[in-house]
Amino acid sequence: MSKRKGDVQVSDYIFDIEALTHRRTILDPGKLANLNKQHLMTKIKATAAGGSSDVLSRAEGLLRESYPDSPHVQPEYLAKVVLALLPRVAVLPDIRQPELSSYFFTEPNLDSPIAQNLRRTVSNEAYSKVLTATQDLLNKQTDVVSAEDLRSLLHDMHTAVLPGVSLKEVMNSLRFALSGSKVGPSVPEIISIFGKDRSLARLERAKP
């Protein structure tokens, strides 16, 4: 394993490599990453079931270090973000990748090349309709809505009030407005983590 900055370190893996083999030099990095990801998923399931997790604590610490000036570092919020991000990484330090996690802690740069590439996948007319319809939908909600419920609500919204707009256009519009990134948790997960008020603020900020 290389020691250069940015390379994966042995300490980045959450399982004991020595327990696998003493011939560490022949271990395939791709296989190690896949094994580590499976191990992460096991830890996530245990945490979701109510167990404690050192992985969760380590991931929260990495995010606090990456975004020290963010007001969004409350323990409950961080736990939600971590649980949403961990299934999308192979090793813990990956959770700090800006395109994956920055929008949870800072306002997204909607003028960035990545964001603009995403924005160009949707026509101006469809984009405006989606944002307005979603704002109307969220304004009708009084409580925090789960990602699963939001998935159903967004599907119903798409069917009922957005004729001629594809579901892909709906999700790309919302992903752009909420995160400015092509990668990360699903749109319903992002909205659920942000909550009603913060999601509405992001949508309003992103309106043309």
Side-chain angles (χ1 to χ4, degrees):
M1 299 289 173
S2 171
K3 296 292 186 180
R4 292 177 301 174
K5 184 177 181 181
D7 286 351
V8 176
Q9 307 290 310
V10 171
S11 59
D12 293 337
Y13 294 98
I14 65 170
F15 60 88
D16 185 5
I17 291 179
E18 295 286 358
L20 294 178
T21 178
H22 292 295
R23 300 171 64 189
R24 289 169 50 190
T25 57
I26 67 171
L27 292 177
D28 180 79
K31 291 181 179 179
L32 281 176
N34 185 58
L35 181 59
N36 198 68
K37 188 168 186 176
Q38 293 179 32
H39 215 65
L40 279 171
M41 291 303 298
T42 300
K43 293 283 189 179
I44 293 167
K45 290 177 181 178
T47 302
S52 60
S53 173
D54 60 322
V55 171
L56 185 63
S57 298
R58 286 168 60 190
E60 289 177 357
L62 289 172
L63 291 175
R64 282 196 182 93
E65 291 174 5
S66 298
Y67 307 102
D69 298 324
S70 174
H72 307 290
V73 291
Q74 301 87 346
E76 183 179 358
Y77 178 79
L78 276 177
K80 291 178 181 179
V81 173
V82 168
L83 290 175
L85 293 179
L86 282 182
R88 294 162 175 85
V89 303
V91 291
L92 281 181
D94 286 351
I95 206 170
R96 299 178 296 188
Q97 295 176 0
E99 66 272 20
L100 185 66
S101 60
S102 63
Y103 53 86
F104 283 108
F105 302 96
T106 63
E107 292 294 321
N109 178 11
L110 300 183
D111 294 322
S112 72
I114 291 176
Q116 285 300 305
N117 284 339
L118 180 59
R119 174 65 183 82
R120 282 192 286 270
T121 64
V122 186
S123 70
N124 291 337
E125 181 181 4
Y127 176 76
S128 294
K129 287 181 178 179
V130 170
L131 263 59
T132 297
T134 306
Q135 285 179 307
D136 291 342
L137 173 68
L138 292 178
N139 277 318
K140 294 176 183 176
Q141 311 306 312
T142 56
D143 299 317
V144 176
V145 182
S146 70
E148 194 61 37
D149 287 342
L150 279 165
R151 190 169 286 108
S152 296
L153 288 170
L154 289 171
H155 183 274
D156 292 344
M157 177 192 77
H158 168 242
T159 302
V161 301
L162 293 170
V165 179
S166 71
L167 186 58
K168 181 179 180 180
E169 288 178 309
V170 172
M171 294 306 169
N172 281 1
S173 296
L174 294 177
R175 184 172 287 283
F176 167 80
L178 294 166
S179 72
S181 176
K182 294 182 179 180
V183 299
S186 68
V187 167
E189 287 178 285
I190 294 172
I191 296 175
S192 180
I193 292 171
F194 281 168
K196 174 182 174 179
D197 292 342
R198 194 170 171 209
S199 296
L200 284 170
R202 286 276 174 101
L203 295 175
E204 185 63 29
R205 175 177 177 264
K207 291 179 78 171

